């Protein structure tokens, strides 16, 4: 199955109004017009309206880095799916390891968020991945399948019809340590196999991105693997030339 590649930028808590304008302008002007890769930019919440305006009509999609699992109400500091939709988000990252590990989001909460994003007609980018000690203990597959299964149980396999998965080994995020293409491909193929136990067609069609220190010089090799359909890019997405090279590397 030929899946359209996708590259998503996770800006995390970085940027200023003027830096963002420069970055978006450089990305827009450097992007090859014939690139068939889908591109998503996920800025911090306050910048969504401005980035929506800057991206208008250029084909790059807008995404958010997180969302509440609740619809509305007394949840101070939280942002709902309908608010994200109001500002043109089509994608939402859920279960990023920084949310799981710094803010204590459980598998269950991540699954509720995933379900909420799907119910609002946006595409969740579900992050899965093991910690370093879990990899060293040889339980990577156990961890990833536990995280995935919770979402399947809560949201149902059909909700993956319009979803994206990002495999992000936690030990590779922001550390400069990248999983080798072999290590990444092994887990991607495993994730696809887990989905196939519930639906062959979803397993076949779903995009599985790799994330974890993807850089301009290692992207092409990672993206050349059969089950790696693109990337979720943190640090390197803040440098226009690097991000553009990564986007072109999906060819
Ligand atoms: C991420 O935040 O999802 C990520 C992969 O970060 P980095 O590319 O900086 O490792």
């Amino acid at each position: 199955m030929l899946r359209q590649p996708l590259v998503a930028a996770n800006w995390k808590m970085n940027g200023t109004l003027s830096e963002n304008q420069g970055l978006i302008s450089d990305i827009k002007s450097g992007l090859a017009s014939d690139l068939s890769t889908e591109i998503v930019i996920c800025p911090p919440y306050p910048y969504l309206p401005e980035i929506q305006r800057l991206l208008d009509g250029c084909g790059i999609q807008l995404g958010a880095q997180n969302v509440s699992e609740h619809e509305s109400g007394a949840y101070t500091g939280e942002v709902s799916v309908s608010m994200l939709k109001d500002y043109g988000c089509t994608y939402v990252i859920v279960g990023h390891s920084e949310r799981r590990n710094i803010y204590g989001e459980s598998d269950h909460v991540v699954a509720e968020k995933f379900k909420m994003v799907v119910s609002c007609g946006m595409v969740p980018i579900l992050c899965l991945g093991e910690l370093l000690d879990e990899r060293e203990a040889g339980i990577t597959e156990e961890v990833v399948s536990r995280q995935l299964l919770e979402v399947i149980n809560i949201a149902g396999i059909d909700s993956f019809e319009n979803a994206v998965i990002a495999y992000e080994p936690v030990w590779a995020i922001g550390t400069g340590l990248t999983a080798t293409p072999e290590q990444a491909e092994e887990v991607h193929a495993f994730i696809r196999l887990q989905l196939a136990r519930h639906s062959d067609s979803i397993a076949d069609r779903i995009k599985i991105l790799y994330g974890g220190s993807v850089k301009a010089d290692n992207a092409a090799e990672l993206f050349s693997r059969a089950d790696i359909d693109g990337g979720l890019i943190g640090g390197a997405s803040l440098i226009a030339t690097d991000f553009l090279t990564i986007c072109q590397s999906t060819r």
Side-chain angles (χ1 to χ4, degrees), residues 10 12 96 98 127 168 172-176 211-215 232-236:
N10 174 16
K12 311 195 190 197
H96 190 279
E98 286 151 17
C127 300
E168 299 207 304
I173 297 180
T175 57
S213 298
V214 176
K215 305 288 175 210
L232 178 54
I233 319 300

Side-chain angles (χ1 to χ4, degrees), residues 163-244:
V164 170
I165 290 178
Y167 168 58
E168 299 207 304
V170 181
W171 48 271
I173 297 180
T175 57
L177 289 173
T178 320
T180 64
E182 293 71 28
Q183 283 174 320
E185 170 61 20
E186 199 180 359
V187 182
H188 282 232
F190 171 77
I191 291 169
R192 219 178 280 290
L193 202 66
Q194 297 312 298
L195 288 165
R197 294 169 66 181
H198 302 266
S199 164
D200 278 330
S201 72
I202 287 173
D204 201 29
R205 277 180 286 134
I206 198 163
K207 290 172 195 171
I208 308 181
L209 314 181
Y210 169 78
S213 298
V214 176
K215 305 288 175 210
D217 60 3
N218 61 19
E221 213 193 331
L222 285 158
F223 298 164
S224 70
R225 301 296 152 136
D227 290 292
I228 303 183
D229 305 311
L232 178 54
I233 319 300
S237 73
L238 298 169
I239 304 158
T241 48
D242 289 4
F243 186 63
L244 287 164

Side-chain angles (χ1 to χ4, degrees), residues 7-232:
V7 176
N10 174 16
W11 285 3
K12 311 195 190 197
M13 198 173 72
N14 291 296
T16 64
L17 211 49
S18 66
E19 282 169 4
N20 298 346
Q21 283 166 353
L23 184 52
I24 294 289
S25 152
D26 290 349
I27 291 171
K28 276 167 65 176
S29 59
L31 211 56
S33 55
D34 62 341
L35 189 68
S36 60
T37 302
E38 192 172 356
I39 297 171
V40 182
I41 293 186
C42 305
Y45 288 145
Y47 297 127
L48 285 171
E50 168 78 352
I51 307 292
Q52 179 191 27
R53 192 181 65 76
L54 295 172
L55 292 180
D56 189 37
C58 82
I60 298 177
Q61 304 286 310
L62 185 64
Q65 299 173 15
N66 184 30
V67 71
S68 172
E69 68 274 34
H70 303 289
E71 224 170 275
S72 66
Y75 300 103
T76 302
E78 292 290 284
V79 170
S80 73
V81 281
S82 58
M83 294 170 189
L84 297 180
K85 214 169 175 188
D86 271 349
Y87 283 98
C89 288
T90 48
Y91 285 84
V92 184
I93 298 171
V94 295
H96 190 279
S97 65
E98 286 151 17
R99 300 298 320 170
R100 292 178 189 263
N101 298 315
I102 305 174
Y103 298 99
E105 285 184 14
S106 63
D107 293 341
H108 184 79
V109 165
V110 172
E112 293 288 353
K113 290 185 177 200
F114 180 100
K115 193 174 163 189
M116 189 60 89
V117 172
V118 171
S119 75
C120 201
M122 295 183 291
V123 181
I125 301 176
L126 171 67
C127 300
L128 310 172
E130 79 289 1
L131 298 162
L132 181 60
D133 58 354
E134 293 169 333
R135 173 158 284 264
E136 286 173 351
I139 57 168
T140 295
E141 293 188 351
E142 200 179 302
V143 170
V144 166
S145 62
R146 187 202 71 220
Q147 293 171 336
L148 180 63
L149 205 59
E150 183 72 6
V151 183
I152 296 174
N153 288 339
I154 300 267
I157 188 66
D158 290 345
S159 66
F160 283 80
E161 196 70 56
N162 203 17
V164 170
I165 290 178
Y167 168 58
E168 299 207 304
V170 181
W171 48 271
I173 297 180
T175 57
L177 289 173
T178 320
T180 64
E182 293 71 28
Q183 283 174 320
E185 170 61 20
E186 199 180 359
V187 182
H188 282 232
F190 171 77
I191 291 169
R192 219 178 280 290
L193 202 66
Q194 297 312 298
L195 288 165
R197 294 169 66 181
H198 302 266
S199 164
D200 278 330
S201 72
I202 287 173
D204 201 29
R205 277 180 286 134
I206 198 163
K207 290 172 195 171
I208 308 181
L209 314 181
Y210 169 78
S213 298
V214 176
K215 305 288 175 210
D217 60 3
N218 61 19
E221 213 193 331
L222 285 158
F223 298 164
S224 70
R225 301 296 152 136
D227 290 292
I228 303 183
D229 305 311
L232 178 54

